[in-house]
Amino acid sequence: MKRLFLLTAIAGIFAFSNVSAQKKDPAMSGQKLGIGVDFALPTGGTNDLYKLGFGGSLQFQTPIAQSLNFTGSAGYLNFTGKELVGNLKYPKYNAIPLKAGLRYFLAENFYVGGELGAAIGTSDGSRTSFIYSPGLGVEFPVADKSTIELGARYEGWSGDRKDNSLIVPVKSFIGLRLAFNFGI
């Protein structure tokens, strides 16, 4: 019974996806460039050292198949260190994330996706980290070939600090992005 329910749900998602793909809004198709504001809520050990991160990003997306887009993004994130003892604060951590990935539209506005890339640490003593980032979101058409995007993702960074450095790289966070996408 559970298998039947699961198969019915999966078939329903694909059927809804195919029906909505036939009625594509011009704002939801074609190449887009997005300018966004990013917020990062540290998780795990990262939460012990850093406060909320914030920054900005640019993202390019282009269709490569029906309901499937290629994405490429670049940005800047700044994490402020938490107070350790008295007035002593943990050093801040800054990075430039560069990522590429895929975005699949389950319905006309809703997507799931994933990206891989590198976070280039710009703080003293920081290194480049590997990034993996699954996520989901929604795009709302607002004008001809323009959308407002709200996305959420989990982002994991794997990297170690340089020898004798006090800076511990960011390891993981929940990312939120609010962006304006326009057709190019």
Side-chain angles (χ1 to χ4, degrees):
M1 186 67 177
K2 288 181 182 178
R3 286 184 185 174
L4 179 62
F5 177 74
L6 180 62
L7 290 173
T8 304
I10 291 171
I13 288 172
F14 282 112
F16 183 70
S17 172
N18 286 336
V19 168
S20 67
Q22 294 171 3
K23 301 184 226 173
K24 278 275 191 209
D25 184 331
M28 302 305 293
S29 59
Q31 294 183 342
K32 293 182 262 185
L33 184 62
I35 300 171
V37 176
D38 292 274
F39 297 96
L41 303 140
T43 60
T46 303
N47 190 36
D48 297 336
L49 302 174
Y50 298 106
K51 296 179 184 178
L52 174 74
F54 62 92
S57 61
L58 289 174
Q59 184 177 64
F60 170 77
Q61 60 179 306
T62 188
I64 56 174
Q66 185 173 342
S67 301
L68 184 66
N69 286 1
F70 167 80
T71 63
S73 62
Y76 182 80
L77 282 172
N78 173 30
F79 291 87
T80 304
K82 285 188 172 179
E83 192 171 303
L84 299 175
V85 180
N87 290 336
L88 183 62
K89 285 181 104 176
Y90 197 76
K92 67 181 179 177
Y93 188 82
N94 301 316
I96 298 170
L98 303 171
K99 301 178 281 187
L102 297 174
R103 178 177 287 186
Y104 181 75
F105 284 87
L106 298 170
E108 189 172 348
N109 298 29
F110 298 97
Y111 66 84
V112 295
E115 292 182 305
L116 299 174
I120 302 166
T122 60
S123 301
D124 288 339
S126 60
R127 289 189 171 182
T128 300
S129 300
F130 171 75
I131 299 174
Y132 59 95
S133 179
L136 53 94
V138 62
E139 289 188 28
F140 301 102
V142 292
D144 188 33
K145 295 189 177 187
S146 297
T147 62
I148 297 289
E149 176 186 341
L150 180 58
R153 69 190 183 279
Y154 171 82
E155 197 157 306
W157 295 7
S158 63
D160 293 322
R161 61 182 166 189
K162 287 184 179 178
D163 297 333
N164 302 323
S165 171
L166 293 175
I167 301 292
V168 175
V170 169
K171 293 292 184 182
S172 64
F173 60 87
I174 300 297
L176 301 173
R177 181 172 191 261
L178 177 62
F180 177 73
N181 299 323
F182 54 93
I184 53 173

